[in-house]
Coordinates of all heavy atoms in Angstrom, one line a residue:
I1 N -54.7 -58.0 1.0 CA -55.1 -56.8 0.3 C -55.9 -55.9 1.2 O -56.9 -56.4 1.8 CB -55.9 -57.1 -1.0 CG1 -55.0 -57.9 -1.9 CG2 -56.4 -55.8 -1.6 CD1 -55.8 -58.4 -3.1
I2 N -55.6 -54.6 1.3 CA -56.4 -53.7 2.1 C -57.1 -52.8 1.1 O -56.5 -52.1 0.3 CB -55.5 -52.9 3.0 CG1 -54.8 -53.8 4.0 CG2 -56.3 -51.8 3.8 CD1 -53.7 -53.1 4.9
I3 N -58.4 -52.7 1.3 CA -59.2 -51.8 0.4 C -59.9 -50.9 1.4 O -60.6 -51.3 2.3 CB -60.3 -52.6 -0.4 CG1 -59.5 -53.6 -1.3 CG2 -61.1 -51.7 -1.1 CD1 -60.5 -54.5 -2.1
K4 N -59.7 -49.6 1.1 CA -60.5 -48.6 1.9 C -61.1 -47.6 1.0 O -60.6 -47.3 -0.1 CB -59.6 -47.9 2.9 CG -58.8 -46.7 2.4 CD -58.1 -46.0 3.5 CE -57.5 -44.7 3.0 NZ -57.7 -43.6 3.8
E5 N -62.2 -47.0 1.4 CA -62.8 -46.0 0.6 C -62.0 -44.7 0.7 O -61.6 -44.3 1.7 CB -64.3 -45.8 1.1 CG -65.1 -44.9 0.2 CD -66.5 -45.0 0.4 OE1 -67.0 -46.1 0.7 OE2 -67.2 -44.0 0.2
I6 N -61.9 -44.1 -0.5 CA -61.1 -42.9 -0.6 C -62.1 -41.7 -0.3 O -63.2 -41.7 -0.8 CB -60.5 -42.7 -2.0 CG1 -59.6 -43.8 -2.3 CG2 -59.8 -41.4 -2.1 CD1 -59.1 -43.9 -3.7
S7 N -61.7 -40.8 0.6 CA -62.5 -39.7 0.9 C -62.6 -38.8 -0.3 O -61.8 -38.8 -1.2 CB -61.9 -38.9 2.1 OG -60.8 -38.1 1.7
N8 N -63.7 -37.9 -0.3 CA -63.9 -37.0 -1.4 C -62.7 -36.0 -1.5 O -62.3 -35.6 -2.6 CB -65.2 -36.3 -1.3 CG -66.4 -37.2 -1.8 OD1 -66.1 -38.2 -2.5 ND2 -67.5 -36.9 -1.3
A9 N -62.2 -35.6 -0.4 CA -61.0 -34.7 -0.4 C -59.9 -35.3 -1.1 O -59.1 -34.7 -1.9 CB -60.7 -34.3 1.0
E10 N -59.6 -36.6 -0.8 CA -58.5 -37.4 -1.5 C -58.8 -37.5 -2.9 O -57.9 -37.4 -3.7 CB -58.3 -38.7 -0.8 CG -57.8 -38.7 0.6 CD -57.8 -40.0 1.3 OE1 -58.8 -40.7 1.3 OE2 -56.8 -40.3 2.0
K11 N -60.0 -37.8 -3.3 CA -60.4 -37.9 -4.7 C -60.1 -36.6 -5.4 O -59.5 -36.7 -6.5 CB -61.9 -38.3 -4.9 CG -62.2 -39.7 -4.5 CD -63.7 -39.9 -4.7 CE -64.1 -41.3 -4.2 NZ -65.5 -41.5 -4.2
L12 N -60.5 -35.5 -4.9 CA -60.2 -34.2 -5.5 C -58.7 -34.0 -5.6 O -58.3 -33.4 -6.7 CB -60.9 -33.1 -4.7 CG -62.4 -33.0 -4.8 CD1 -62.9 -32.0 -3.8 CD2 -62.8 -32.7 -6.2
S13 N -58.0 -34.4 -4.6 CA -56.5 -34.0 -4.6 C -55.8 -34.8 -5.7 O -54.7 -34.4 -6.2 CB -55.9 -34.3 -3.3 OG -55.9 -35.7 -3.0
V14 N -56.3 -36.0 -6.2 CA -55.7 -36.7 -7.2 C -56.4 -36.5 -8.6 O -56.1 -37.3 -9.5 CB -55.6 -38.2 -6.9 CG1 -54.7 -38.4 -5.7 CG2 -56.9 -38.9 -6.7
G15 N -57.3 -35.6 -8.6 CA -58.0 -35.2 -9.9 C -59.2 -36.0 -10.2 O -59.6 -36.0 -11.4
L16 N -59.8 -36.8 -9.3 CA -61.0 -37.5 -9.6 C -62.2 -36.6 -9.3 O -62.2 -35.9 -8.4 CB -61.1 -38.8 -8.7 CG -60.0 -39.8 -8.9 CD1 -60.1 -40.9 -7.9 CD2 -60.1 -40.4 -10.3
A17 N -63.2 -36.7 -10.2 CA -64.4 -35.9 -10.0 C -65.4 -36.6 -9.0 O -65.3 -37.8 -8.8 CB -65.1 -35.8 -11.4
L18 N -66.3 -35.8 -8.5 CA -67.3 -36.2 -7.5 C -68.7 -36.2 -8.2 O -69.0 -35.4 -9.0 CB -67.3 -35.3 -6.3 CG -65.9 -35.1 -5.6 CD1 -66.1 -34.1 -4.5 CD2 -65.4 -36.4 -5.1
D19 N -69.5 -37.1 -7.7 CA -70.9 -37.2 -8.2 C -71.7 -36.1 -7.7 O -71.9 -35.9 -6.5 CB -71.5 -38.6 -7.8 CG -72.9 -38.8 -8.4 OD1 -73.5 -37.9 -8.8 OD2 -73.3 -40.0 -8.3
L20 N -72.2 -35.2 -8.5 CA -72.9 -34.0 -8.1 C -74.2 -34.4 -7.4 O -74.6 -33.6 -6.5 CB -73.3 -33.2 -9.4 CG -74.0 -31.8 -9.2 CD1 -73.2 -30.9 -8.3 CD2 -74.2 -31.2 -10.5
N21 N -74.8 -35.5 -7.6 CA -76.0 -35.9 -6.9 C -75.7 -36.6 -5.5 O -76.6 -36.9 -4.8 CB -76.8 -36.9 -7.8 CG -77.5 -36.1 -8.9 OD1 -78.0 -35.0 -8.6 ND2 -77.5 -36.6 -10.1
K22 N -74.4 -36.8 -5.2 CA -74.1 -37.4 -3.9 C -73.2 -36.5 -3.0 O -73.2 -36.7 -1.8 CB -73.5 -38.8 -4.1 CG -74.4 -39.8 -4.7 CD -73.7 -41.1 -4.9 CE -74.6 -42.1 -5.5 NZ -73.9 -43.4 -5.7
V23 N -72.5 -35.6 -3.6 CA -71.5 -34.9 -2.9 C -72.1 -34.0 -1.8 O -73.2 -33.5 -2.0 CB -70.6 -34.0 -3.9 CG1 -71.5 -32.9 -4.5 CG2 -69.4 -33.4 -3.2
S24 N -71.5 -33.9 -0.7 CA -72.0 -33.1 0.4 C -71.6 -31.6 0.3 O -70.8 -31.3 -0.5 CB -71.4 -33.6 1.8 OG -70.0 -33.3 1.8
R25 N -72.3 -30.8 1.1 CA -72.0 -29.4 1.1 C -70.6 -29.1 1.4 O -69.9 -28.3 0.9 CB -73.0 -28.7 2.1 CG -72.7 -27.2 2.3 CD -73.6 -26.6 3.4 NE -73.3 -25.2 3.5 CZ -72.4 -24.7 4.3 NH1 -71.6 -25.5 5.0 NH2 -72.2 -23.4 4.4
E26 N -70.1 -29.9 2.5 CA -68.7 -29.7 2.9 C -67.7 -30.1 1.9 O -66.7 -29.3 1.7 CB -68.5 -30.6 4.2 CG -69.2 -30.1 5.4 CD -70.8 -30.4 5.4 OE1 -71.2 -31.3 4.6 OE2 -71.5 -29.7 6.1
D27 N -68.0 -31.1 1.1 CA -67.1 -31.5 0.0 C -67.2 -30.5 -1.2 O -66.2 -30.2 -1.8 CB -67.3 -32.9 -0.5 CG -66.9 -33.9 0.6 OD1 -66.0 -33.6 1.3 OD2 -67.5 -35.0 0.6
L28 N -68.3 -29.9 -1.4 CA -68.5 -28.9 -2.5 C -67.6 -27.7 -2.2 O -67.0 -27.2 -3.1 CB -69.9 -28.5 -2.6 CG -70.9 -29.5 -3.4 CD1 -72.3 -29.1 -3.2 CD2 -70.5 -29.5 -4.9
I29 N -67.5 -27.4 -0.9 CA -66.7 -26.2 -0.5 C -65.2 -26.4 -0.8 O -64.5 -25.4 -1.1 CB -66.9 -25.9 1.0 CG1 -68.4 -25.4 1.2 CG2 -65.9 -24.8 1.5 CD1 -68.8 -25.4 2.6
L30 N -64.8 -27.7 -0.9 CA -63.4 -28.0 -1.2 C -63.0 -27.6 -2.7 O -61.8 -27.5 -3.0 CB -63.1 -29.5 -1.0 CG -63.2 -30.0 0.5 CD1 -63.1 -31.5 0.5 CD2 -62.2 -29.3 1.4
I31 N -64.0 -27.5 -3.5 CA -63.8 -27.3 -4.9 C -63.6 -25.8 -5.2 O -64.4 -24.9 -4.7 CB -65.0 -27.7 -5.8 CG1 -65.1 -29.2 -5.6 CG2 -64.9 -27.3 -7.2 CD1 -66.4 -29.8 -6.2
K32 N -62.5 -25.4 -5.8 CA -62.1 -24.1 -6.2 C -63.3 -23.5 -7.0 O -63.7 -24.0 -8.0 CB -60.8 -24.0 -7.0 CG -60.3 -22.6 -7.2 CD -59.0 -22.6 -7.9 CE -58.6 -21.2 -8.0 NZ -57.9 -20.8 -9.2
G33 N -63.7 -22.3 -6.5 CA -64.8 -21.6 -7.2 C -66.2 -21.9 -6.6 O -67.2 -21.3 -7.0
I34 N -66.3 -22.7 -5.5 CA -67.5 -22.9 -4.8 C -67.3 -22.6 -3.3 O -66.5 -23.2 -2.6 CB -68.0 -24.4 -4.9 CG1 -68.3 -24.7 -6.4 CG2 -69.3 -24.6 -4.1 CD1 -68.7 -26.2 -6.6
G35 N -68.0 -21.6 -2.9 CA -67.9 -21.2 -1.5 C -69.0 -21.8 -0.7 O -69.9 -22.5 -1.2
P36 N -69.1 -21.5 0.6 CA -70.2 -22.1 1.5 C -71.6 -21.7 1.0 O -72.5 -22.6 1.0 CB -69.9 -21.4 2.8 CG -68.5 -21.1 2.8 CD -68.1 -20.7 1.4
E37 N -71.8 -20.5 0.6 CA -73.1 -20.1 0.2 C -73.6 -20.8 -1.1 O -74.7 -21.3 -1.2 CB -73.2 -18.6 0.0 CG -74.6 -18.0 -0.2 CD -74.6 -16.5 -0.3 OE1 -73.9 -15.8 0.5 OE2 -75.3 -16.0 -1.2
T38 N -72.7 -20.9 -2.1 CA -72.9 -21.6 -3.4 C -73.1 -23.0 -3.1 O -74.0 -23.6 -3.7 CB -71.8 -21.3 -4.4 OG1 -71.7 -19.9 -4.6 CG2 -72.1 -22.0 -5.7
A39 N -72.3 -23.6 -2.3 CA -72.5 -25.1 -1.9 C -73.9 -25.3 -1.4 O -74.5 -26.3 -1.8 CB -71.4 -25.5 -1.0
Q40 N -74.3 -24.5 -0.5 CA -75.7 -24.7 0.1 C -76.7 -24.6 -1.0 O -77.7 -25.3 -1.0 CB -75.9 -23.7 1.2 CG -77.2 -24.0 1.9 CD -77.3 -25.4 2.6 OE1 -76.4 -25.7 3.3 NE2 -78.3 -26.1 2.3
K41 N -76.6 -23.6 -1.9 CA -77.5 -23.4 -3.0 C -77.6 -24.6 -3.9 O -78.6 -25.0 -4.4 CB -77.2 -22.1 -3.8 CG -77.5 -20.9 -3.1 CD -77.1 -19.7 -3.9 CE -77.3 -18.4 -3.2 NZ -76.9 -17.2 -4.0
I42 N -76.4 -25.2 -4.2 CA -76.4 -26.5 -5.0 C -77.1 -27.6 -4.3 O -77.9 -28.3 -4.9 CB -74.9 -26.9 -5.3 CG1 -74.2 -25.8 -6.2 CG2 -74.8 -28.3 -5.8 CD1 -72.7 -26.0 -6.3
V43 N -76.9 -27.8 -3.0 CA -77.6 -28.8 -2.3 C -79.1 -28.6 -2.3 O -79.8 -29.5 -2.4 CB -77.0 -29.0 -0.8 CG1 -77.8 -29.9 0.0 CG2 -75.5 -29.4 -0.9
D44 N -79.5 -27.3 -2.0 CA -80.9 -27.0 -2.0 C -81.5 -27.3 -3.4 O -82.7 -27.8 -3.5 CB -81.1 -25.5 -1.6 CG -80.7 -25.3 -0.2 OD1 -80.6 -26.2 0.6 OD2 -80.6 -24.1 0.2
L45 N -80.9 -26.8 -4.5 CA -81.4 -27.1 -5.8 C -81.5 -28.6 -6.1 O -82.5 -29.1 -6.6 CB -80.6 -26.4 -6.9 CG -81.0 -26.6 -8.3 CD1 -82.4 -26.1 -8.5 CD2 -80.0 -25.9 -9.3
R46 N -80.5 -29.3 -5.7 CA -80.5 -30.8 -5.9 C -81.7 -31.4 -5.3 O -82.4 -32.3 -5.9 CB -79.2 -31.4 -5.4 CG -79.2 -32.9 -5.5 CD -77.8 -33.5 -5.1 NE -77.6 -33.3 -3.7 CZ -76.4 -33.3 -3.1 NH1 -75.3 -33.4 -3.8 NH2 -76.3 -33.1 -1.8
K47 N -82.0 -31.0 -4.1 CA -83.2 -31.5 -3.4 C -84.5 -31.1 -4.0 O -85.4 -31.9 -4.2 CB -83.1 -31.0 -1.9 CG -84.1 -31.6 -1.0 CD -83.9 -31.1 0.4 CE -84.5 -31.9 1.5 NZ -84.2 -31.4 2.8
K48 N -84.5 -29.8 -4.5 CA -85.8 -29.3 -5.1 C -86.1 -30.0 -6.4 O -87.2 -30.3 -6.7 CB -85.6 -27.8 -5.4 CG -86.7 -27.1 -6.0 CD -86.4 -25.7 -6.3 CE -87.4 -25.0 -7.1 NZ -87.1 -23.7 -7.5
I49 N -85.0 -30.3 -7.2 CA -85.3 -30.9 -8.5 C -85.1 -32.5 -8.5 O -85.1 -33.1 -9.5 CB -84.4 -30.3 -9.6 CG1 -82.9 -30.6 -9.4 CG2 -84.7 -28.8 -9.7 CD1 -82.0 -30.1 -10.5
N50 N -84.9 -33.0 -7.3 CA -84.8 -34.5 -7.2 C -83.6 -35.0 -7.9 O -83.6 -36.0 -8.6 CB -86.0 -35.3 -7.6 CG -87.2 -35.1 -6.6 OD1 -87.0 -35.1 -5.4 ND2 -88.4 -34.9 -7.2
G51 N -82.5 -34.3 -7.9 CA -81.3 -34.7 -8.5 C -81.0 -34.0 -9.8 O -81.9 -33.7 -10.6
F52 N -79.7 -33.9 -10.1 CA -79.3 -33.2 -11.4 C -79.3 -34.2 -12.5 O -78.9 -35.4 -12.3 CB -77.9 -32.6 -11.2 CG -77.9 -31.5 -10.3 CD1 -77.5 -31.6 -9.0 CD2 -78.3 -30.2 -10.8 CE1 -77.4 -30.5 -8.1 CE2 -78.2 -29.1 -9.9 CZ -77.8 -29.3 -8.6
K53 N -79.8 -33.8 -13.7 CA -79.7 -34.6 -14.9 C -78.4 -34.3 -15.7 O -77.8 -35.2 -16.4 CB -80.9 -34.4 -15.8 CG -82.2 -34.6 -15.2 CD -82.7 -36.0 -15.2 CE -84.1 -36.2 -14.7 NZ -84.2 -36.2 -13.2
N54 N -77.9 -33.0 -15.5 CA -76.7 -32.6 -16.1 C -76.1 -31.4 -15.4 O -76.8 -30.8 -14.7 CB -76.8 -32.4 -17.7 CG -77.7 -31.1 -17.9 OD1 -77.3 -30.0 -17.6 ND2 -78.8 -31.4 -18.5
I55 N -74.8 -31.2 -15.5 CA -74.1 -30.2 -14.8 C -74.6 -28.8 -15.1 O -74.5 -27.9 -14.3 CB -72.6 -30.4 -14.9 CG1 -71.9 -29.6 -13.8 CG2 -72.1 -29.9 -16.3 CD1 -70.5 -30.0 -13.6
K56 N -75.1 -28.6 -16.3 CA -75.6 -27.3 -16.8 C -76.7 -26.8 -15.9 O -77.0 -25.6 -15.9 CB -76.0 -27.3 -18.3 CG -74.8 -27.7 -19.2 CD -74.1 -26.5 -19.7 CE -73.1 -27.0 -20.8 NZ -72.0 -26.1 -20.9
Q57 N -77.4 -27.7 -15.3 CA -78.5 -27.3 -14.4 C -78.1 -26.4 -13.3 O -78.9 -25.6 -12.7 CB -79.3 -28.5 -13.8 CG -80.1 -29.2 -14.9 CD -80.8 -30.4 -14.3 OE1 -80.1 -31.4 -14.0 NE2 -82.1 -30.3 -14.1
L58 N -76.8 -26.4 -13.0 CA -76.3 -25.5 -12.0 C -76.4 -24.0 -12.3 O -76.5 -23.2 -11.5 CB -74.7 -25.8 -11.7 CG -74.4 -27.1 -11.1 CD1 -72.9 -27.3 -11.0 CD2 -75.0 -27.1 -9.6
M59 N -76.6 -23.7 -13.6 CA -76.8 -22.4 -14.0 C -78.2 -21.8 -13.6 O -78.4 -20.6 -13.7 CB -76.6 -22.2 -15.6 CG -75.2 -22.4 -16.0 SD -74.8 -21.9 -17.6 CE -75.6 -23.0 -18.6
E60 N -79.0 -22.7 -13.0 CA -80.3 -22.1 -12.4 C -80.0 -21.4 -11.1 O -80.9 -20.7 -10.7 CB -81.2 -23.3 -12.1 CG -81.8 -24.0 -13.3 CD -82.7 -25.2 -13.0 OE1 -83.4 -25.2 -12.0 OE2 -82.7 -26.2 -13.8
I61 N -78.8 -21.6 -10.6 CA -78.4 -20.9 -9.4 C -77.8 -19.5 -9.8 O -77.0 -19.4 -10.6 CB -77.3 -21.7 -8.6 CG1 -78.0 -23.0 -8.2 CG2 -76.8 -20.9 -7.4 CD1 -76.9 -24.0 -7.6
K62 N -78.4 -18.5 -9.1 CA -77.9 -17.1 -9.3 C -76.4 -17.0 -9.0 O -75.9 -17.5 -8.0 CB -78.6 -16.1 -8.4 CG -78.3 -14.7 -8.7 CD -79.1 -13.8 -7.9 CE -78.7 -12.3 -8.2 NZ -79.4 -11.3 -7.4
G63 N -75.6 -16.5 -10.0 CA -74.2 -16.4 -9.8 C -73.4 -17.5 -10.5 O -72.2 -17.4 -10.7
I64 N -74.1 -18.5 -11.0 CA -73.4 -19.6 -11.7 C -73.7 -19.4 -13.2 O -74.9 -19.6 -13.6 CB -73.7 -21.0 -11.2 CG1 -73.2 -21.1 -9.8 CG2 -73.0 -22.0 -12.1 CD1 -73.5 -22.5 -9.2
K65 N -72.7 -19.1 -14.0 CA -72.9 -18.9 -15.4 C -71.9 -19.9 -16.1 O -71.2 -20.7 -15.5 CB -72.6 -17.5 -15.8 CG -73.6 -16.5 -15.1 CD -73.5 -15.2 -15.8 CE -74.5 -14.1 -15.3 NZ -75.4 -14.4 -14.3
E66 N -71.9 -19.8 -17.4 CA -71.1 -20.7 -18.2 C -69.6 -20.7 -17.8 O -69.0 -21.8 -17.7 CB -71.2 -20.3 -19.7 CG -70.6 -21.3 -20.7 CD -71.5 -22.6 -20.9 OE1 -72.7 -22.4 -20.9 OE2 -70.9 -23.6 -21.0
K67 N -69.1 -19.5 -17.5 CA -67.7 -19.4 -17.1 C -67.4 -20.3 -15.8 O -66.4 -21.0 -15.7 CB -67.3 -18.0 -16.9 CG -65.8 -17.8 -16.6 CD -65.5 -16.3 -16.4 CE -64.1 -16.1 -16.1 NZ -63.7 -14.7 -15.8
R68 N -68.3 -20.1 -14.9 CA -68.1 -20.9 -13.6 C -68.3 -22.4 -13.8 O -67.5 -23.2 -13.3 CB -69.1 -20.4 -12.5 CG -69.0 -21.2 -11.2 CD -68.2 -20.5 -10.1 NE -68.7 -19.2 -9.7 CZ -69.4 -19.1 -8.6 NH1 -69.7 -20.0 -7.8 NH2 -69.9 -17.9 -8.3
I69 N -69.2 -22.8 -14.7 CA -69.4 -24.2 -15.0 C -68.1 -24.7 -15.6 O -67.6 -25.8 -15.2 CB -70.5 -24.4 -16.0 CG1 -71.9 -24.0 -15.4 CG2 -70.6 -25.8 -16.5 CD1 -72.4 -24.9 -14.4
K70 N -67.5 -24.0 -16.5 CA -66.2 -24.5 -17.1 C -65.1 -24.7 -16.0 O -64.3 -25.6 -16.1 CB -65.7 -23.4 -18.1 CG -66.6 -23.3 -19.3 CD -66.0 -24.0 -20.5 CE -66.7 -23.8 -21.8 NZ -67.6 -24.9 -22.1
Q71 N -65.1 -23.8 -15.0 CA -64.1 -23.9 -13.9 C -64.3 -25.2 -13.0 O -63.4 -25.8 -12.6 CB -64.1 -22.7 -13.0 CG -63.7 -21.4 -13.6 CD -63.9 -20.2 -12.7 OE1 -64.8 -20.2 -11.8 NE2 -63.0 -19.2 -12.8
I72 N -65.6 -25.5 -12.8 CA -65.9 -26.6 -11.8 C -66.2 -27.9 -12.4 O -66.2 -28.9 -11.7 CB -67.0 -26.1 -10.8 CG1 -68.3 -25.9 -11.5 CG2 -66.5 -24.9 -10.0 CD1 -69.4 -25.6 -10.6
E73 N -66.5 -28.0 -13.7 CA -67.0 -29.2 -14.3 C -66.0 -30.3 -14.3 O -66.3 -31.5 -14.3 CB -67.5 -29.0 -15.7 CG -66.5 -28.6 -16.8 CD -67.2 -28.3 -18.1 OE1 -68.4 -28.6 -18.3 OE2 -66.4 -27.9 -19.0
K74 N -64.7 -30.0 -14.2 CA -63.7 -31.1 -14.1 C -63.7 -31.8 -12.7 O -63.2 -32.8 -12.6 CB -62.3 -30.6 -14.4 CG -61.8 -29.5 -13.5 CD -60.5 -29.0 -14.0 CE -60.1 -27.7 -13.3 NZ -59.1 -26.9 -13.9
Y75 N -64.4 -31.1 -11.8 CA -64.4 -31.7 -10.4 C -65.7 -32.4 -10.1 O -65.9 -33.0 -9.1 CB -64.2 -30.6 -9.4 CG -63.0 -29.8 -9.5 CD1 -63.0 -28.5 -10.0 CD2 -61.8 -30.4 -9.3 CE1 -61.9 -27.7 -10.1 CE2 -60.6 -29.6 -9.4 CZ -60.6 -28.3 -9.8 OH -59.5 -27.6 -10.0
L76 N -66.7 -32.3 -11.0 CA -68.0 -32.8 -10.8 C -68.5 -33.6 -12.0 O -68.2 -33.2 -13.1 CB -69.0 -31.7 -10.4 CG -68.7 -30.9 -9.2 CD1 -69.6 -29.6 -9.1 CD2 -69.0 -31.7 -7.9
Y77 N -69.4 -34.6 -11.8 CA -70.0 -35.3 -12.9 C -71.4 -35.7 -12.4 O -71.7 -35.7 -11.2 CB -69.2 -36.5 -13.3 CG -69.2 -37.6 -12.3 CD1 -70.2 -38.6 -12.4 CD2 -68.3 -37.7 -11.3 CE1 -70.2 -39.7 -11.5 CE2 -68.3 -38.8 -10.4 CZ -69.2 -39.7 -10.5 OH -69.3 -40.8 -9.5
V78 N -72.3 -36.0 -13.4 CA -73.6 -36.5 -13.1 C -73.7 -37.9 -13.7 O -73.5 -38.1 -14.9 CB -74.7 -35.6 -13.7 CG1 -76.1 -36.2 -13.5 CG2 -74.6 -34.2 -13.2
K79 N -74.0 -38.8 -12.8 CA -74.1 -40.2 -13.2 C -75.4 -40.4 -13.9 O -76.4 -40.1 -13.4 CB -73.9 -41.1 -12.0 CG -73.8 -42.6 -12.3 CD -73.5 -43.3 -11.0 CE -73.3 -44.8 -11.3 NZ -73.0 -45.6 -10.1
H80 N -75.4 -41.0 -15.1 CA -76.6 -41.3 -15.9 C -77.1 -42.7 -15.6 O -76.5 -43.6 -15.4 CB -76.4 -41.0 -17.3 CG -76.0 -39.6 -17.7 ND1 -76.9 -38.6 -17.7 CD2 -74.8 -39.1 -17.9 CE1 -76.2 -37.5 -17.9 NE2 -75.0 -37.8 -18.1

């Protein structure tokens, strides 16, 4: 049996969500609706607040509103 870790790009391609508290800036950019600048803001906010408690906290970032959350929430989750 061969077991290998699946890259985040592969996870996204098969519809698996990524942990918002662990995902890298580079992997965030792979998500439709998140560009380089927004990805950096997400990483910066995560550091500032010591991790996300829920995905709605992304709305603290200028430019991310309910509509954008709806677009990206299928790609991200917060582990409780």
Side-chain angles (χ1 to χ4, degrees):
I1 297 174
I2 299 173
I3 298 175
K4 87 171 189 136
E5 190 162 322
I6 300 172
S7 74
N8 283 340
E10 291 171 313
K11 287 178 184 176
L12 287 171
S13 72
V14 296
L16 296 174
L18 306 177
D19 185 343
L20 185 55
N21 285 317
K22 293 183 180 176
V23 67
S24 70
R25 177 185 178 275
E26 292 73 22
D27 289 333
L28 283 166
I29 294 169
L30 298 173
I31 297 171
K32 186 177 184 216
I34 299 178
E37 191 175 314
T38 301
Q40 187 60 54
K41 289 178 182 178
I42 291 170
V43 171
D44 292 344
L45 178 60
R46 178 175 66 201
K47 192 175 196 179
K48 179 181 171 188
I49 64 173
N50 290 318
F52 293 97
K53 305 276 186 280
N54 66 66
I55 198 164
K56 300 268 189 208
Q57 288 178 287
L58 289 175
M59 290 195 294
E60 293 179 31
I61 297 170
K62 187 177 180 183
I64 297 183
K65 299 197 177 358
E66 191 74 37
K67 183 178 178 183
R68 176 98 64 103
I69 295 288
K70 293 256 185 260
Q71 291 174 332
I72 64 175
E73 68 184 350
K74 62 184 165 198
Y75 304 110
L76 298 167
Y77 70 91
V78 176
K79 191 173 182 179
H80 297 284

